[in-house]
Amino acid sequence: MLPWKRVLRPLTALLLTAAIATVPATVAHAGDTAVTSSSGWNDYSCKPSATHPRPVVLVHGTLANSVDNWLALAPYLEDRGYCVFSLDYGQLSGVPVFYGLGPIDKSAQQLSAYVDKVLTATGAAKVDLVGHSQGGMMPRYYLKFLGGAAKVNALVGIAPSNHGTDLDGFTNLLPYFPGAADLISAATPALADQVVGSAFLTKLNAGGDTVPGVHYTVLATKYDEVVTPYSSQFLSGSDVHNVLLQNLCAVDLSEHALVGLTDRVAFHEVANALDPAHATATTCLSALG
């Protein structure tokens, strides 16, 4: 019989390839992911207005990066007068373009340093965070364990992996493949961290989902095929707004990737969460706004 590791390495590679294939082609063709003011966001000369006094930091998902995850949402927010920033995090040595794969607690440290950089540049007292997938969950570690709650007003998670995923039951098969979980953890720590019941998620969610002083919004789609079941994305707490997008627009068919990349119904809810005093009803017509 072949050694398990020799069997599982190609299996893991296949799973990663399949995951990458769900990311739009713009990602696969991305080169330098450094964003400058010429691309419309990450302009460190931007000063928040009285109307929108907090800069918005966008936090990409697993296998994504600071450019391709936000080609639609960043301009959407900029057009509404926000100073918008995004970072790369969770890089693995020798793996370009596809980030968010490193240990999530270490990625939270990268976010912490980046928020400090944005606050220093803009002179703002706090930021708002908007994250997709892992990027909607990872900031909670920053808020809970790294002092982020003092520097963040709101966290908006788009299809966040808050309580992990079972990948439609696939992760339940891992015990039947000896060494599989260890191999995934060693090769792509962030994937292992996001499996339901992981040590990382157990620590993150112990004692409650939220911390005082931060406003939480979760946007989920019932067609999510990555963070499953979709209800695992929702948070519990006194300052939480959980939204199922199909309750706002029944014909919204966005799945996990598109809900963060192109879904303007979701974008309208992001804008509402960032400026609740001027929120307007989100409907299917919001896709045209």
Side-chain angles (χ1 to χ4, degrees):
M1 183 168 58
L2 289 173
W4 279 110
K5 286 191 177 181
R6 289 181 60 190
V7 176
L8 291 169
R9 280 198 179 95
L11 175 61
T12 302
L14 179 62
L15 291 173
L16 286 174
T17 301
I20 291 171
T22 68
V23 181
T26 50
V27 174
H29 296 296
D32 181 5
T33 58
V35 187
T36 66
S37 58
S38 63
S39 57
W41 73 95
N42 276 6
D43 178 359
Y44 290 93
S45 67
C46 186
K47 298 301 180 184
S49 65
T51 304
H52 299 306
R54 292 177 300 276
V56 178
V57 174
L58 303 177
V59 190
H60 65 74
T62 309
L63 292 165
N65 61 61
S66 63
V67 176
D68 298 293
N69 211 143
W70 307 120
L71 291 173
L73 181 56
Y76 180 96
L77 294 175
E78 275 201 303
D79 288 346
R80 285 154 180 77
Y82 289 93
C83 292
V84 181
F85 300 86
S86 62
L87 77 156
D88 287 317
Y89 70 87
Q91 302 91 332
L92 292 181
S93 178
V95 181
V97 180
F98 300 105
Y99 303 138
L101 293 171
I104 297 181
D105 57 347
K106 300 298 188 295
S107 294
Q109 293 174 17
Q110 291 179 274
L111 174 62
S112 177
Y114 189 77
V115 167
D116 287 348
K117 179 180 178 180
V118 170
L119 291 177
T120 298
T122 60
K126 290 187 176 183
V127 302
D128 288 323
L129 302 176
V130 179
H132 181 208
S133 192
Q134 179 190 164
M137 175 273 289
M138 176 270 281
R140 293 179 49 227
Y141 190 95
Y142 164 56
L143 299 176
K144 194 168 188 177
F145 298 112
L146 303 178
K151 302 174 184 179
V152 174
N153 170 71
L155 169 61
V156 183
I158 306 172
S161 50
N162 280 320
H163 296 99
T165 178
D166 65 5
L167 287 176
D168 281 327
F170 177 81
T171 62
N172 296 328
L173 300 178
L174 288 176
Y176 296 99
F177 296 89
D182 290 341
L183 181 59
I184 294 172
S185 181
T188 52
L191 297 185
D193 284 346
Q194 292 177 89
V195 173
V196 64
S198 71
F200 173 83
L201 288 170
T202 299
K203 176 181 178 179
L204 176 64
N205 293 316
D209 291 347
T210 64
V211 296
V214 179
H215 309 294
Y216 295 83
T217 299
V218 175
L219 309 178
T221 170
K222 69 179 182 180
Y223 300 110
D224 200 310
E225 78 292 9
V226 175
V227 181
T228 58
Y230 72 80
S231 58
S232 70
Q233 301 171 23
F234 293 143
L235 296 172
S236 296
S238 60
D239 197 349
V240 172
H241 183 45
N242 291 315
V243 179
L244 181 63
L245 292 172
Q246 283 73 32
N247 288 340
L248 304 178
C249 176
V251 297
D252 188 331
L253 302 179
S254 292
E255 42 65 69
H256 183 79
L258 292 181
V259 72
L261 293 167
T262 62
D263 189 341
R264 292 177 75 90
V265 174
F267 294 177
H268 189 269
E269 274 297 284
V270 170
N272 281 346
L274 296 177
D275 188 6
H278 299 95
T280 57
T282 300
T283 68
C284 294
L285 292 178
S286 301
L288 305 177

